[in-house]
Amino acid sequence: MSSPPLIEMRDIVKVYPNGVVANDGVHFTVEPGEIHALVGENGAGKTTLMKILYGLESPTQGEIRLRGRPVHFRSPLDAIAHGIGMVHQNFMLIPSFTVAENIVLGQEPRHRMLVDREAALQITRELSQQYGLRVEAEAVVDSVPVGMRQRVEILKTLYRGAEILILDEPTAVLTPQETQELFQAIRALVAQGKTVIFITHKLREVKEISDRVTVMRNGRVMGTLPTAQATTDQLARMMVGRDVLLTVEKPPAQPGEPVLEVRDLTYVSETGRTMLRDVRFTVRAGEILGVAGVEGNGQTELVEVLTGLRPATGGSARVRGREILNATPRQVRLSGVAHIPEDRLNNGLALTATINENLIVDRYFRPPFLRGLFIDSQVVQEHGVRLIQAFDIRAPGGDVPVASLSGGNMQKVIVAREFSAEPVLLIAAQPTRGIDVGATEFIRRQLVEKRSGGTAVLLISADLAEVMSLSDRLVVMYEGQITGVFPQVDRVSEEELGLYMLGLRRQTPEEMEAYL
């Protein structure tokens, strides 16, 4: 008689009070000692399913079995007690605490009723050595690289006795080198008897790291198969329900005149920290200049300074010869600049407003939308119909609130508004973050079409594969500075770029100046 699966989730249904069905009769099994990838578009239900397994959510109906026995988790504490740990995409660490303090938090070793700090350091060092997860026990978390924070999170779960690890988008902010280190650590954990559930949308990583893969779509399981027997095209088709182009086809760039010229740009934050230091680059008409880098190295500040959301401390940024630094966001837009913000919920959309209203927020004050003192509702309606169709926004109509849309369709609303402004410069910050494969394919294609039509595009993305596939030229940012310029993206590897992203390699000013 064969032994039961390690985990068996039977007919899981999750219906939220607003009527949204996140899981619809899901059956999901995990065998002991395997790396099981769970993939699907945004909103497919995979994270909800794992939250149920980890005790963060309760199923509306269905059963969970662990080693053949029914279990019911009322909270993560119940799941942890049964050997299940979860590492969330957004790290749950206290920045001002040391690595060791974060790992033992809540289960601190004590000596005479006081926290034994030396014991905590020793525990951390032993865990680090045992599982091959390199960390600096005494370092303050706020000062360590993103990859080490990821390892701290994993060690936290292992310290609490986890035999089953759920990793939610664990490589989202890692460099290629850090990703490979993580994969080595995952394989080492499995070799020591652990089991890993790996949630991701990066199909190349699914092929590299997993033994089996389960694909979800619209709250249901589309299938589970051995990874070795699956192709990335097949997995994408299962995720989306149609064929998807995973590679970006783009004709050779034909760069024209400089559109954006940034020189010696400096920004010092309100706390006195220098976030941008002597940044220099040029974006020409008809090209995509990509900005690569680990998040938190000045990319956000660069975009916000260029779009009028933050004041610059020094330097200049000219669009077709016109200075835009320290102008208002409206003045920047009137200079011919469009902006896809990285935070669509806070900076890109008015969630309670309709799709039609969001599509004119940057132009309602001028014709043809403004007729005399009033907005022409008929023109607004026709404008919305045209853009909803052109940009494939899936919605009942333009009068529904943006908040009712999926993440991918919210992003399409922003793209439709910014592209239809006919900008001379498009600043796209994380344009495909958190959206599904189908919407990602659409937006990437639109970016290439805009560039081929003569628009200058400044692309900032934490997804190195994305920035490499879309960019004609590429710069790397590290600690607020440009550390490398690459005029031919196809002649540089992800691994080499990763060295620049980690600050381990840097070009001389003379080398960079030749390509800027």
Side-chain angles (χ1 to χ4, degrees):
M1 182 176 178
S2 61
S3 58
L6 177 62
I7 298 170
E8 188 174 13
M9 303 181 77
R10 296 180 175 180
D11 300 318
I12 299 295
V13 174
K14 178 62 180 181
V15 183
Y16 287 102
N18 61 3
V20 172
V21 181
N23 291 151
D24 186 6
V26 172
H27 190 77
F28 177 69
T29 62
V30 178
E31 299 295 336
E34 74 169 342
I35 303 172
H36 195 124
L38 182 60
V39 302
E41 298 184 282
N42 234 39
K46 57 189 186 297
T47 298
T48 299
L49 186 69
M50 290 300 97
K51 285 182 176 179
I52 289 171
L53 179 59
Y54 189 55
L56 284 168
E57 302 269 8
S58 296
T60 305
Q61 66 181 60
E63 180 184 44
I64 301 174
R65 287 179 171 263
L66 187 62
R67 300 180 181 87
R69 297 182 178 180
V71 291
H72 178 69
F73 300 147
R74 295 177 178 82
S75 74
L77 290 176
D78 289 342
I80 292 167
H82 284 79
I84 299 175
M86 185 169 184
V87 176
H88 300 271
Q89 184 175 355
N90 298 314
F91 300 152
M92 306 291 184
L93 301 173
I94 298 177
S96 60
F97 279 21
T98 66
V99 166
E101 288 168 341
N102 270 280
I103 287 173
V104 303
L105 186 63
Q107 295 187 15
E108 297 90 344
R110 294 185 178 273
H111 179 67
R112 295 179 179 176
M113 301 302 292
L114 298 175
V115 174
D116 190 333
R117 298 186 182 279
E118 284 302 317
L121 290 170
Q122 185 61 27
I123 287 168
T124 299
R125 294 184 185 113
E126 289 174 356
L127 285 171
S128 176
Q129 184 173 5
Q130 178 182 353
Y131 294 110
L133 290 160
R134 180 179 51 82
V135 297
E136 298 172 11
E138 297 182 56
V140 175
V141 161
D142 196 34
S143 68
V144 304
V146 173
M148 188 176 295
R149 297 181 200 184
Q150 177 78 264
R151 296 191 286 274
V152 174
E153 286 280 19
I154 295 173
L155 289 174
K156 269 177 57 180
T157 66
L158 294 170
Y159 174 63
R160 285 154 182 76
E163 296 294 326
I164 302 163
L165 278 81
I166 305 168
L167 306 180
D168 189 2
E169 298 283 359
T171 66
V173 294
L174 302 185
T175 66
Q177 285 86 347
E178 289 171 327
T179 296
Q180 288 307 312
E181 286 182 16
L182 175 65
F183 284 0
Q184 290 173 11
I186 289 173
R187 294 186 185 102
L189 289 172
V190 170
Q192 295 186 50
K194 309 297 183 183
T195 301
V196 175
I197 302 172
F198 190 92
I199 307 173
T200 185
H201 68 277
K202 298 180 180 180
L203 298 182
R204 186 176 62 175
E205 294 181 357
V206 170
K207 290 289 292 178
E208 182 176 351
I209 191 65
S210 67
D211 301 306
R212 287 197 301 155
V213 54
T214 293
V215 182
M216 293 188 68
R217 185 169 84 234
N218 297 328
R220 298 182 177 182
V221 169
M222 294 293 103
T224 298
L225 60 164
T227 307
Q229 298 177 13
T231 66
T232 52
D233 288 340
Q234 178 186 9
L235 294 173
R237 190 162 52 247
M238 291 171 69
M239 288 167 62
V240 181
R242 61 175 175 81
D243 288 333
V244 177
L245 293 175
L246 296 174
T247 57
V248 180
E249 296 181 5
K250 66 178 196 280
Q254 297 181 336
E257 294 297 314
V259 173
L260 173 65
E261 296 176 277
V262 177
R263 296 292 180 266
D264 304 321
L265 179 59
T266 301
Y267 170 68
V268 180
S269 71
E270 298 84 351
T271 60
R273 184 179 175 188
T274 300
M275 306 302 296
L276 298 173
R277 189 191 305 273
D278 301 326
V279 174
R280 296 170 59 85
F281 61 84
T282 299
V283 190
R284 295 173 176 83
E287 75 165 351
I288 297 177
L289 177 69
V291 179
V294 177
E295 285 194 81
N297 279 277
Q299 301 97 314
T300 297
E301 290 78 11
L302 174 64
V303 170
E304 293 185 351
V305 165
L306 292 177
T307 54
L309 297 174
R310 292 178 187 261
T313 305
S316 69
R318 298 179 181 274
V319 174
R320 294 191 298 186
R322 180 178 177 180
E323 182 64 61
I324 61 168
L325 286 191
N326 300 324
T328 66
R330 178 179 286 191
Q331 289 169 335
V332 172
R333 297 186 75 88
L334 291 175
S335 298
V337 180
H339 174 210
I340 300 173
E342 65 177 83
D343 186 344
R344 61 174 169 264
L345 298 182
N346 289 319
N347 294 332
L349 297 165
L351 295 178
T352 58
T354 66
I355 295 173
N356 287 341
E357 289 167 341
N358 272 278
L359 289 171
I360 65 164
V361 292
D362 63 329
R363 63 200 75 167
Y364 67 89
F365 52 87
R366 61 179 189 262
F369 305 102
L370 190 67
R371 180 174 296 179
L373 297 177
F374 301 98
I375 292 176
D376 189 325
S377 59
Q378 182 64 31
V379 173
V380 172
Q381 179 76 16
E382 292 170 356
H383 177 72
V385 169
R386 186 168 62 254
L387 292 186
I388 287 170
Q389 182 176 3
F391 288 85
D392 192 31
I393 299 168
R394 309 291 176 86
D399 292 327
V400 301
V402 162
S404 67
L405 303 181
S406 68
N409 283 298
M410 285 184 184
Q411 193 73 350
K412 286 181 180 179
V413 171
I414 296 173
V415 170
R417 181 184 67 223
E418 301 306 309
F419 282 25
S420 64
E422 296 299 328
V424 296
L425 170 67
L426 172 65
I427 299 176
Q430 318 294 351
T432 63
R433 167 174 285 168
I435 62 175
D436 59 62
V437 173
T440 294
E441 174 201 32
F442 177 86
I443 290 171
R444 288 175 177 173
R445 191 169 66 243
Q446 293 289 319
L447 284 168
V448 171
E449 288 181 8
K450 207 68 181 170
R451 159 267 209 186
S452 297
T455 302
V457 179
L458 179 63
L459 170 66
I460 297 90
S461 177
D463 186 335
L464 185 55
E466 174 174 80
V467 81
M468 289 186 71
S469 65
L470 290 176
S471 301
D472 301 303
R473 291 188 302 127
L474 189 148
V475 300
V476 177
M477 286 191 72
Y478 176 72
E479 293 189 343
Q481 293 181 293
I482 302 292
T483 58
V485 183
F486 302 91
Q488 295 175 299
V489 181
D490 58 352
R491 294 190 180 183
V492 62
S493 67
E494 288 191 8
E495 289 71 26
E496 184 178 355
L497 288 174
L499 296 175
Y500 285 87
M501 293 165 66
L502 291 169
L504 300 176
R505 188 175 293 177
R506 178 188 297 263
Q507 293 175 358
T508 66
E510 292 75 21
E511 287 177 308
M512 290 189 281
E513 190 64 34
Y515 300 123
L516 286 173

